[in-house]
Amino acid sequence: MISRELQRAREYEAEYGAAIHPEQRPVFHLSPRCGWMNDPNGFGIYQGKYHMFYQYYPYASHWDSMHWGHAVSSDLLHWEYLPCALAPDTDPDREGCFSGSAFPLPDGRHLLMYTGVSREQQPGGQFREIQAQNIAVGDGTDYQKYEGNPVLTAADLPEGGSRFDFRDPKIFPLSDGRLCCTIGNRPADDSGQILLYLSEDGFRWKYWKVLAANRNRFGRMWECPDFFPLDGKWVLLTSPQDMLPQGFEYHNGNGTLCLTGSFDEAEGNFTEETDQAIDYGIDFYAPQTVLTPDGRRVMIGWLQNWDACAIRRPESVWAGQMSLPRELSLRNGRLYQQPLRELASLRRDEKEFHDIPVSGQVRLPGIQGRAVEMEIRVRPADPAAVFHKFAVRFAEDGQFHTAFSFRPHEGILKADRKFSGSRRAIVHQRRCLVEHRDGALTIRLILDRFSAECFVGEGEQVMSMALYTDTAADGISFFADGDAVMDLKFARLGD
Ligand code: FRU
């Protein structure tokens, strides 16, 4: 049975999604079928395909009553839209179907676990939204909400846990076959914690313990946890709200956090070892990962920051996009990210340049475009006179450009969209400390019309940002203050 709310969303997106010309969208990054997208949800494999659901408001390009949009892919680069999967159409999710995850059941059905938001009258008479966990089960296209919803409520919280901030269940299997799920929650100290719940069947869940407590170290509430084994350790990814800056590692507002450590599966104890940001750019949030059939841990995040949403004009027909899928690895306690290797299948017009002197501004023949990949190896022309600054500028026309710039004397790589055409007073620049060898640095830059993602070195850092410069601005140039030399591998990315 399809509810009136879901039917309406499906009819609306079929009509308005089709009216968006493919050239108005990214080439290989997933964007909403129409309207608004935030977090990736239910990212996983089901019946031989990757499924990606997303926080979705089809009717406008701003956040509102949350639905789950849906798309499938065979390679994580070409996506096909499926009909809207969930609408807020039952009492436990009347105010929204918030983030969650998916898991294929042994009987072949696809289980979705998500946060349902509903209104609750408070002792003073006013209403507040409360959050509880819900289940829907389906066949990969149509999902039925479980009659036993909600399956986890305030009654399942540890003492002091807030029912107003209890969200984003992410299911993962334990090695003994039981299902476990991580959920973000706000404890009495007003910061964040990640809770663990256990289930035998995916429907009946029991509180287990606190996996990790923020204790006001990294922002406050922790959203959208994902917890998985990687290269002999365990990794907890989460997205803290209300962060305070810490050096060049963490910044004000919504951020991302990667904790690594060891996990005792029998006891549910996570012993933290290291912490770092996941992405050092402006726009990356709420990532989820999948384990590919060949054993790669691949992560996709929302390529947007809550505090910077105003970069998108209100009249846009879509808003929000997903990041590039990134392959994760751990080396010496550090998270490394590399663009999904299948990206190579999109390379066209490959070109290579070697030992190009850059002093002042330089353009190279055939180097332009808004959906491109560039591997840039820069170094000083004279090791005794290291240049002051090197920059690659893109989405460039006579008026606008966006850039990554590198200042070796300060060890800083800067993402800069100040001149991208934005007319809003939001963050447009972000700096990141990078390791280089006396001015020698390699970056791999991936542009896809409305985004730029810069992988530093071997992937030890990534800086991502959205940009909405008119796509006719497709110039690319290189710049050095001082004398630099660079090698460039270039490809256009597309079909
Ligand atoms: C994170 C988030 C989640 C929540 C969802 C609502 O971006 O705030 O915690 O489930 O967005 O759309």
Side-chain angles (χ1 to χ4, degrees):
M1 245 278 290
I2 290 177
S3 68
R4 220 168 2 101
E5 291 86 346
L6 187 58
Q7 186 61 29
R8 176 173 168 241
R10 288 181 167 192
E11 284 168 13
Y12 187 91
E13 65 178 6
E15 181 178 350
Y16 288 89
I20 302 175
H21 194 276
E23 300 223 328
Q24 292 173 272
R25 296 181 181 278
V27 181
F28 50 91
H29 287 69
L30 181 65
S31 54
R33 190 163 177 186
C34 58
W36 166 271
M37 159 192 278
N38 56 289
D39 315 351
N41 292 160
F43 184 28
I45 299 175
Y46 179 66
Q47 291 181 344
K49 285 212 161 157
Y50 293 105
H51 284 249
M52 175 62 93
F53 302 83
Y54 51 90
Q55 289 286 283
Y56 183 36
Y57 183 65
Y59 306 111
S61 61
H62 56 75
W63 190 92
D64 206 314
S65 162
M66 278 293 107
H67 296 57
W68 275 35
H70 192 185
V72 289
S73 173
S74 302
D75 63 1
L76 297 172
L77 297 169
H78 298 83
W79 293 96
E80 180 196 334
Y81 292 112
L82 290 185
C84 178
L86 300 178
D89 54 10
T90 62
D91 285 339
D93 61 23
R94 196 66 68 193
E95 305 302 317
C97 300
F98 277 18
S99 285
S101 55
F103 200 80
L105 291 172
D107 65 9
R109 293 178 298 163
H110 200 204
L111 179 134
L112 309 181
M113 187 171 186
Y114 66 98
T115 300
V117 183
S118 58
R119 271 155 50 95
E120 182 196 79
Q121 191 157 27
Q122 302 305 297
Q126 79 280 29
F127 284 86
R128 265 189 88 173
E129 292 187 345
I130 57 159
Q131 304 184 336
Q133 315 319 319
N134 290 262
I135 300 284
V137 201
D139 61 1
T141 305
D142 296 311
Y143 294 82
Q144 295 298 328
K145 308 250 172 98
Y146 175 49
E147 63 277 7
N149 282 341
V151 296
L152 285 173
T153 66
D156 305 291
L157 283 167
E159 200 181 333
S162 164
R163 65 192 190 288
F164 307 113
D165 289 291
F166 177 35
R167 57 182 176 271
D168 311 334
K170 177 75 171 46
I171 303 176
F172 64 99
L174 292 175
S175 33
D176 64 7
R178 283 177 305 167
L179 295 179
C180 194
C181 104
T182 51
I183 305 184
N185 180 234
R186 191 186 295 270
D189 69 4
D190 196 32
S191 71
Q193 61 184 358
I194 304 301
L195 306 177
L196 283 184
Y197 291 82
L198 284 173
S199 174
E200 304 281 337
D201 61 3
F203 292 86
R204 283 165 303 161
W205 290 89
K206 264 205 154 45
Y207 174 67
W208 189 11
K209 58 170 56 182
V210 176
L211 176 72
N214 182 1
R215 285 182 243 98
N216 281 298
R217 291 172 298 162
F218 307 103
R220 291 202 160 128
M221 171 66 186
W222 282 358
E223 302 189 302
C224 300
D226 192 354
F227 187 54
F228 50 87
L230 186 68
D231 296 334
K233 296 280 176 188
W234 280 74
V235 172
L236 174 62
L237 305 181
T238 185
S239 297
Q241 296 179 317
D242 305 312
M243 290 192 97
L244 290 172
Q246 292 181 31
F248 287 94
E249 192 65 32
Y250 301 108
H251 302 278
N252 316 61
N254 287 102
T256 54
L257 174 67
C258 167
L259 296 174
T260 73
S262 57
F263 181 53
D264 172 353
E265 278 196 49
E267 297 297 324
N269 290 334
F270 178 52
T271 310
E272 285 177 31
E273 288 167 17
T274 63
D275 73 85
Q276 66 173 95
I278 305 173
D279 193 286
Y280 293 80
I282 304 172
D283 298 299
F284 190 85
Y285 201 68
Q288 284 197 346
T289 66
V290 71
L291 191 62
T292 63
D294 61 2
R296 287 176 283 164
R297 180 60 64 172
V298 172
M299 173 180 78
I300 293 186
W302 179 41
L303 212 163
Q304 184 63 57
N305 188 305
W306 279 112
D307 291 330
C309 291
I311 190 152
R312 200 71 173 120
R313 287 162 50 173
E315 60 274 23
S316 311
V317 284
W318 61 267
Q321 55 187 316
M322 291 303 169
S323 74
L324 194 68
R326 303 170 181 181
E327 296 180 15
L328 303 184
S329 58
L330 262 196
R331 268 191 256 165
N332 302 324
R334 181 141 196 108
L335 184 74
Y336 280 70
Q337 303 173 45
Q338 282 293 340
L340 186 80
R341 64 192 68 163
E342 285 82 351
L343 191 68
S345 69
L346 300 184
R347 289 187 191 140
R348 307 284 179 269
D349 306 336
E350 289 180 59
K351 293 185 172 64
E352 281 196 31
F353 297 81
H354 295 278
D355 303 318
I356 303 294
V358 184
S359 186
Q361 199 177 26
V362 170
R363 284 175 205 285
L364 295 171
I367 302 304
Q368 65 184 81
R370 283 287 284 270
V372 307
E373 176 179 6
M374 288 189 276
E375 187 189 280
I376 301 167
R377 290 173 178 272
V378 65
R379 57 192 176 273
D382 171 2
V386 177
F387 54 87
H388 291 284
K389 175 177 160 181
F390 169 85
V392 48
R393 292 181 180 160
F394 48 90
E396 192 183 39
D397 60 12
Q399 194 178 6
F400 301 124
H401 67 265
T402 296
F404 284 96
S405 62
F406 168 46
R407 289 177 185 271
H409 298 286
E410 293 153 44
I412 280 181
L413 183 68
K414 182 160 99 178
D416 188 352
R417 62 176 179 191
K418 176 169 175 163
F419 300 104
S420 67
S422 164
R423 293 177 191 271
R424 300 273 68 85
I426 56 172
V427 171
H428 290 115
Q429 298 172 328
R430 179 127 304 156
R431 292 176 301 163
C432 166
L433 272 184
V434 294
E435 278 188 24
H436 59 93
R437 276 166 293 106
D438 303 319
L441 184 75
T442 300
I443 58 173
R444 192 162 159 201
L445 181 58
I446 292 163
L447 309 183
D448 185 5
R449 290 196 180 134
F450 307 104
S451 64
E453 292 164 273
C454 182
F455 294 75
V456 181
E458 293 174 15
E460 58 265 30
Q461 282 150 321
V462 187
M463 300 184 86
S464 306
M465 66 181 153
L467 56 128
Y468 291 101
T469 319
D470 191 294
T471 49
D474 67 351
I476 295 174
S477 66
F478 307 90
F479 170 88
D481 175 0
D483 296 314
V485 175
M486 87 175 173
D487 299 330
L488 171 70
K489 277 193 206 161
F490 174 93
R492 207 168 49 73
L493 295 172
D495 286 320

